[in-house]
Amino acid sequence: VYTAPSARGQGLAGALCTEMMRRARAEGARRAYLQVEGDNHAARSLYHRLGFADAYAYHYRARDPLAA
């Protein structure tokens, strides 16, 4: 979920995620997974408030260090 800088801090991302999970559950979903950059502290904080917990981290590798 990306929130424009001018719209941050208004609870929009949390409301959107909550509604998406509500709709998914109504359609039969029983699990939800997220991927977020480790240094995206605002998103990680939101997702933790929504009940998500860290499971594992990805480590990306490239031959060209400028590729990432």
Side-chain angles (χ1 to χ4, degrees), residues 7-33:
R8 291 180 184 162
Q10 299 177 41
L12 300 172
L16 177 61
C17 289
T18 298
E19 179 61 13
M20 287 190 298
M21 289 188 297
R22 186 196 67 75
R23 288 181 184 209
R25 185 170 206 67
E27 293 293 325
R30 296 294 170 249
R31 290 181 181 80
Y33 301 92

Side-chain angles (χ1 to χ4, degrees), residues 13-18 21 34 43-52:
L16 177 61
C17 289
T18 298
M21 289 188 297
L34 294 168
R44 290 168 52 86
S45 177
L46 167 65
Y47 299 146
H48 282 238
R49 287 194 306 272
L50 292 173
F52 288 89

Side-chain angles (χ1 to χ4, degrees), residues 5 26 36 55 60:
V36 62
Y60 297 97

